[in-house]
């Protein structure tokens, strides 16, 4: 990272101008305090009250009640479990592995195939979330494309959004999010010096061994970063699931963001919904701290 | 056959299969939009038509929501980029005790799940009467993109040499003049990337306007698209596909514009949200 002008710390304008030169930071900081730090602080407060959407006059401090209630609530535990499944299947296994595989294959493939694959995968990523959701809704519906293909292959078809909703939305998230991993890994792989892999090849190391002993260790920082960012963005997916299944049927694809929305707005339990939001925020914050520590050297 | 050729053919075949799987939903979008009898499966239209497009190209379905999207995301993008450029300048040029903690906090914030704070944001907006206002929503959208924009902008600014600035200072230019007349023009391509990236992110954002805007005439395209599923239970898929294409085109084009800078080195310091 080129650090232009870091030496000129003493600056110009003498001592009197010093505080003024931090003034440009003010607009951004005010916005961040008002619309980001503010809601987070408010979130912490509301999570400990029994605020409801209707009959707004009643808002009492109830301590840890919302959290106790959450951990005793089957629907909440269901949402936690589904969030884990969704994150594991779509982010850690799907986006991450397929992204790495695509990046690796693209290095060996011929140019036109590489270009076309890249364009298609990236198009899926750039499309607005809601459009992606409709495309995959159409793909997974009973009368949709997936079943047409399965019929054609003489495999049993089924109503995917009804029988396996959480897998359907997980695959949708893989479809939508793989490009990001692919781009990260393409960049990481292109930075591995050629002579290292060639030396291993001359020494007779097989493809799998080269991958395991050379490639993966050399890109482990990228793997860490990618897993972290994938997981964080998957944790907060709402629109994709909402448009495809509304969390249903029943609550069988109701991940934490959908559960939070459902409790806070459809059931009007703002306090409870916010407590769930706070837990989600805490998990995100933990991941963020790890991520910042990983990158810290570069700041 | 040589080993290298075998490897290449195998890779081509594998990529071909994956690309096919990724392509199917996109094919549905394109084919359905020109099919008068579109349903949920991918198939060639028996007689291609532009009916679907002409049916959705009305004020109510397309123009008003797209204009709303443009107003909402355009103003939020301008605000984000302006604030980020201002903030990035001292962070890039001066060092003090708190610039490092500030940057670390910014980096930390880029990763927070914004989805989680939408419930309290709604609560706050109700209390200060910002619910269902375009400017309130734009302010929140702008803030949600700010941390990442500051981070990107600061990295781009670090790459601009300081020699010219020093010359301007000797001539008595103020900080703001130096920033707008010298630094920002020099980092034009970087600014463009930040601006387009922010706009793409905001254009596709569904949850924020879904929560904060209520009146139908204010909804952006990302939310109004739900009206296709609305009143009569039967969805006209051809029109839904046509509208989706119209709604997606701007961001696809903008992405192509910046893809060389984004895709190549991916010089975003790793901190990009998917």
């Amino acid at each position: 990272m080129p650090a232009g002008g870091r030496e000129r710390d003493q600056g110009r304008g003498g001592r009197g101008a010093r505080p003024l030169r931090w003034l440009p930071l003010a607009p951004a900081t005010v916005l961040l305090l008002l619309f980001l730090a503010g809601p987070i602080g408010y979130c912490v407060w509301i999570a400990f009250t029994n605020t409801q959407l209707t009959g707004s006059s009643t808002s009492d401090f109830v301590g840890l009640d919302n959290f106790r209630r959450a951990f005793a609530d089957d629907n909440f535990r269901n949402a936690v479990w589904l969030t884990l499944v969704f994150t594991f299947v779509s982010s850690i296994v799907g986006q991450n592995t397929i992204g790495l595989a695509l990046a690796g294959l693209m290095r060996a493939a011929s140019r036109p195939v590489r270009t076309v694959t890249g364009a298609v995968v990236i198009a899926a990523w750039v499309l607005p979330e809601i459009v992606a959701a409709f495309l995959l809704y159409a793909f997974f519906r009973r009368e949709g494309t997936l079943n047409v293909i399965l019929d054609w292959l003489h495999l049993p078809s089924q109503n995917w959004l009804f029988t396996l909703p959480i897998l359907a939305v997980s695959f949708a998230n893989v479809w939508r999010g793989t490009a990001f991993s692919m781009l990260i890994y393409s960049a990481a792989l292109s930075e591995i010096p050629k002579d290292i892999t060639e030396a291993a090849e001359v020494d007779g190391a097989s493809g799998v061994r080269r991958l395991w002993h050379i490639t993966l260790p050399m890109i482990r920082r990228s793997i860490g970063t990618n897993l972290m960012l994938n997981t964080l963005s998957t944790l907060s997916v709402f629109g994709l699931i909402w448009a495809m299944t509304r969390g249903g049927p029943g609550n069988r694809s109701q991940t934490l963001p959908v559960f939070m929305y459902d409790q806070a707005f459809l059931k009007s339990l703002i306090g409870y919904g916010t407590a769930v939001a706070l837990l989600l925020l805490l998990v995100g914050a933990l991941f963020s701290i790890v991520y910042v520590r990983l990158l810290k050297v570069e700041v | 056959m040589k080993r290298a050729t075998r490897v290449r053919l195998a890779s081509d075949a594998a990529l071909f299969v994956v690309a096919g799987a990724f392509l199917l939903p996109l094919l549905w979008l394109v084919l359905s939009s020109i099919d008068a009898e579109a349903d949920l499966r991918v198939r060639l239209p028996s007689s291609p038509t532009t009916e679907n497009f002409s049916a959705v190209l009305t004020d109510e379905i397309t123009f008003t929501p797209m204009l709303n999207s443009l107003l909402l995301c355009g103003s939020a993008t301008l605000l984000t980029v302006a604030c980020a450029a201002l903030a990035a300048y001292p962070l890039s040029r001066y060092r003090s005790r708190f610039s490092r903690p500030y940057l670390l906090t910014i980096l930390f914030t880029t990763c927070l799940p914004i989805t989680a704070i939408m419930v309290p944001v709604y609560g706050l907006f109700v209390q200060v009467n910002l619910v269902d206002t375009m400017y309130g929503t734009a302010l929140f959208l702008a803030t949600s993109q700010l941390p990442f924009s500051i981070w990107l902008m600061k990295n781009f600014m670090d790459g601009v040499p300081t020699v010219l600035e020093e010359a301007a200072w000797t001539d008595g230019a103020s900080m703001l003049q130096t920033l707008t007349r010298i630094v920002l023009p020099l980092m034009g391509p970087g600014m463009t990337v930040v601006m387009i990236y922010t706009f793409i992110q905001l254009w596709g954002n569904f949850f924020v306007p879904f929560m904060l805007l209520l009146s139908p005439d204010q909804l952006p395209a990302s939310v109004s698209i739900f009206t296709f599923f609305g009143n009569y239970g039967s969805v006209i898929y051809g029109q839904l596909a046509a509208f989706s294409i119209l709604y997606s085109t701007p961001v696809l084009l903008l992405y192509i514009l910046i893809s060389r800078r984004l895709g190549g080195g991916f010089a975003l310091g790793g901190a990009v949200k998917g």
Side-chain angles (χ1 to χ4, degrees):
Chain A
M1 182 160 57
R6 283 253 173 106
E7 319 74 38
R8 206 195 51 254
D9 284 330
Q10 298 318 310
R12 44 154 222 140
R15 272 162 215 285
R18 287 206 121 196
L20 264 186
R21 63 193 201 182
W22 292 98
L23 199 64
L25 221 49
T29 312
V30 168
L31 278 180
L32 287 170
L33 287 176
L34 277 181
F35 292 104
L36 215 61
I40 292 174
Y42 189 65
C43 182
V44 175
W45 160 248
I46 293 289
F48 294 95
T49 66
N50 62 357
T51 309
Q52 301 205 355
L53 205 55
T54 45
S56 55
S57 55
T58 57
S59 174
D60 305 310
F61 188 78
V62 294
L64 289 172
D65 271 10
N66 286 323
F67 297 96
R68 247 177 252 132
R69 170 172 171 180
F71 290 113
D73 182 348
D74 282 343
N75 284 322
F76 174 77
R77 284 194 297 226
N78 170 65
V80 171
W81 167 244
L82 289 177
T83 308
L84 288 175
V85 173
F86 182 62
T87 311
F88 184 76
V89 173
S90 66
S91 150
I92 297 176
V93 177
Q95 295 176 356
N96 183 56
T97 319
I98 297 175
L100 180 59
L102 283 176
L105 286 170
M106 281 167 107
R107 292 181 70 71
S110 57
R111 197 181 165 81
V113 178
R114 195 188 328 160
T115 314
V116 170
T117 314
V120 171
V121 175
I122 288 176
W125 179 50
V126 181
L127 277 186
E129 186 180 20
I130 288 303
V131 174
F134 284 138
L135 295 191
L136 291 146
Y137 169 83
F139 186 72
F140 282 112
R141 273 290 295 258
R142 179 176 268 299
E143 53 288 22
T145 307
L146 179 59
N147 281 339
V148 174
I149 296 172
L150 290 175
D151 277 343
W152 188 60
L153 294 172
H154 299 291
L155 291 170
S157 62
Q158 54 186 314
N159 191 353
W160 297 96
L161 291 172
F162 187 80
T163 48
L164 291 164
I166 192 67
L167 278 189
V169 294
S170 298
F171 283 133
N173 195 37
V174 172
W175 185 80
R176 187 173 147 66
T178 298
F180 178 74
S181 306
M182 184 184 82
L183 288 170
I184 294 242
Y185 286 134
S186 290
L189 290 179
S190 69
E191 275 166 21
I192 296 182
K194 264 218 162 72
D195 40 340
I196 295 185
T197 33
E198 274 165 13
E201 217 167 321
V202 171
D203 289 346
S206 70
V208 177
R209 284 180 60 124
R210 282 207 307 275
L211 175 71
W212 192 251
H213 291 290
I214 298 170
T215 312
L216 290 184
M218 290 199 72
I219 59 167
R220 64 174 187 282
R221 265 178 68 91
S222 302
I223 298 178
T225 311
N226 182 50
L227 277 177
M228 197 79 64
L229 294 171
N230 273 346
T231 308
L232 278 165
S233 62
T234 301
L235 264 184
S236 54
V237 169
F238 174 83
L240 192 69
I241 300 179
W242 183 255
M244 280 180 75
T245 66
R246 307 260 146 128
N251 60 7
R252 289 195 295 134
S253 60
Q254 198 175 49
T255 57
L256 279 172
V258 183
F259 178 73
M260 170 194 88
Y261 177 79
D262 180 63
Q263 295 296 319
F265 290 100
L266 305 184
K267 305 215 164 59
S268 300
L269 302 168
I270 294 273
Y272 186 44
T274 310
V276 175
L278 189 60
L279 292 171
L280 195 59
L281 207 56
L282 281 178
V283 177
L286 274 178
F287 272 96
S288 281
I289 289 172
V290 177
Y291 175 68
V292 171
R293 292 200 73 99
L294 275 179
L295 281 190
K296 203 166 181 179
V297 245
E298 289 174 11
V299 177
Chain B
M1 201 162 32
K2 279 175 68 180
R3 203 181 103 81
T5 320
R6 278 208 314 273
V7 170
R8 203 186 67 226
L9 283 179
S11 309
D12 281 356
L15 282 185
F16 211 70
V17 173
V18 179
F22 272 81
L23 187 63
L24 278 173
L26 292 171
L27 265 184
W28 177 79
L29 184 67
V30 176
L31 294 178
S32 302
S33 71
I34 50 168
D35 187 346
E37 285 131 28
D39 57 18
L40 287 166
R41 69 195 70 192
V42 176
R43 59 155 187 214
L44 287 174
S46 44
S47 52
T49 163
T50 54
E51 259 173 52
N52 293 320
F53 284 97
S54 44
V56 296
L57 280 174
T58 65
D59 275 350
E60 192 195 353
I61 299 178
T62 300
F63 298 120
T64 307
M66 294 282 264
L67 189 66
N68 288 339
S69 284
L70 192 65
L71 279 175
L72 202 62
C73 306
S75 57
T77 303
L78 290 181
L79 187 62
T80 307
V81 173
C83 290
L86 284 172
Y89 189 70
L91 289 172
S92 165
R93 289 329 195 214
Y94 312 126
R95 201 189 288 165
S96 96
R97 251 171 302 130
F98 78 101
S99 58
R100 193 180 148 87
Y102 194 94
L103 275 170
L104 286 175
T105 313
I106 290 290
L107 183 60
F108 170 77
T109 320
T110 57
C111 299
L112 284 183
I114 296 293
T115 308
I117 63 167
M118 282 321 290
V119 176
V121 166
Y122 180 84
L124 275 183
F125 269 45
V126 169
Q127 295 200 343
V128 293
N129 274 326
L130 277 176
V131 162
D132 203 23
T133 60
M134 288 279 252
Y135 67 95
T137 312
L139 280 171
F140 181 74
L141 281 172
T143 313
S144 70
Q145 289 299 316
L146 249 184
F148 187 63
S149 297
I150 295 177
W151 184 256
L152 260 188
M153 195 76 92
K154 191 247 169 205
N155 281 344
F156 281 125
M157 223 176 256
D158 282 345
V160 177
T162 54
V163 188
L164 287 169
E165 277 167 272
E166 276 156 10
W169 281 344
T170 341
D171 291 345
S174 75
M175 183 159 76
L176 198 64
Q177 281 171 330
T178 327
L179 178 64
T180 52
R181 302 254 172 87
I182 296 174
V183 183
L184 293 183
L186 278 176
M187 54 178 289
M191 277 263 289
T192 317
V193 168
V194 178
M195 194 180 284
I196 294 180
Y197 185 82
T198 308
F199 189 81
I200 291 178
Q201 290 292 328
L202 294 177
W203 187 265
N205 194 313
F206 162 76
F207 200 24
V208 174
F210 175 68
M211 295 277 287
L212 300 181
L213 291 173
L214 310 167
S215 9
D217 58 320
Q218 296 203 59
L219 293 181
S222 58
V223 184
S224 77
I225 200 168
F226 271 102
T227 45
F228 284 96
F229 283 78
N231 310 326
Y232 309 107
S234 68
V235 186
I236 307 165
Y237 289 107
Q239 294 185 12
L240 174 65
F243 179 74
S244 298
I245 287 182
L246 293 172
Y247 164 49
S248 308
T249 306
V251 288
L252 288 173
L253 291 179
L254 285 174
Y255 183 82
I256 293 170
L257 253 178
I258 57 162
S259 62
R260 276 178 179 277
R261 306 199 129 255
L262 263 176
F266 215 76
L268 302 180
V272 189
K273 277 194 260 191

